Amino acid sequence: MRSTGGCSAATRTSRSSGYADDVIVHCKSEYAAKQVLREIDQRMAECGLVLHPDKTKVVYCKDGQRRRNYSETHFDFLGYRFQPRCAQCRGGELFLSFLPAVSVKAGKSIRQTMRSWKTHRWTQLKIEELATSFNPVLRGWINYYGKFYKSKLAPILGQFDYALVRWVKRKYKRLGGSPTWARAWLKRVVAQQSGLFAHWHITYAGMTER
């Protein structure tokens, strides 16, 4: 459970959002957040339950309007990390907002999953067949984690491009195992079939937008 100070309100001074046993309580002030936290802790104790000591904290939603210094200014929820981030308004001006993006923990999980595929060993397949096999998972990650700050997915999904380079090196012996030639081969495919892999519009944004 997390109490986030400096957000919106209800139950007089707070409003809650939750999924399963993970709950966020939005409060107008630090005082209100700590008061609600005490009440929840008491209620949990009455039910024979205990709040998670590491996940339970008061977080300050720092942005351009809320500029205080606070020890906790971020939290993770449902695979997203909420923290102060630079945003752009319709007029093009930049400002500081409190926004979500894929969390460090979720990024690590995605990388581990991609490593488990051992894509470089699938040399019996054509690249189009690889795309057919992996695109449903790649598209699922993008659809979920790409709702906010899609650019944060680029270094994560870029690991799959590295796996594809390794696949190219093993499949096409004429390239002599050269990473440089393998990357060049892959970039030619991106230029010719920019929509082949679901993530290429993120990791090769400059090329696929041409």
Side-chain angles (χ1 to χ4, degrees), residues 95-206:
F95 65 98
L96 187 67
S97 186
F98 194 81
L99 296 171
V102 59
S103 70
V104 174
K105 184 178 179 180
K108 182 178 179 180
S109 177
I110 291 172
R111 287 188 173 98
Q112 288 176 338
T113 298
M114 289 189 293
R115 281 195 294 268
S116 73
W117 291 342
K118 301 186 186 304
T119 309
H120 62 287
R121 297 183 180 178
W122 295 41
T123 53
Q124 76 279 12
L125 300 181
K126 297 178 180 179
I127 194 167
E128 290 81 6
E129 294 172 316
L130 288 179
T132 299
S133 297
F134 296 120
N135 270 344
V137 181
L138 295 169
R139 196 172 291 115
W141 286 330
I142 294 167
N143 288 343
Y144 183 74
Y145 294 110
K147 293 291 185 183
F148 306 94
Y149 259 80
K150 188 180 292 185
S151 61
K152 294 295 182 181
L153 285 173
I156 299 171
L157 299 179
Q159 181 171 314
F160 187 63
D161 290 326
Y162 172 73
L164 288 175
V165 169
R166 293 184 66 193
W167 174 84
V168 173
K169 285 167 54 181
R170 288 174 67 112
K171 185 174 179 66
Y172 298 103
K173 304 299 182 183
R174 68 179 185 275
L175 298 178
S178 167
T180 301
W181 291 356
R183 282 192 292 269
W185 185 96
L186 190 62
K187 285 184 177 181
R188 284 197 297 271
V189 176
V190 175
Q192 295 166 5
Q193 304 179 67
S194 61
L196 182 60
F197 282 91
H199 71 296
W200 276 355
H201 70 285
I202 297 175
T203 58
Y204 286 100

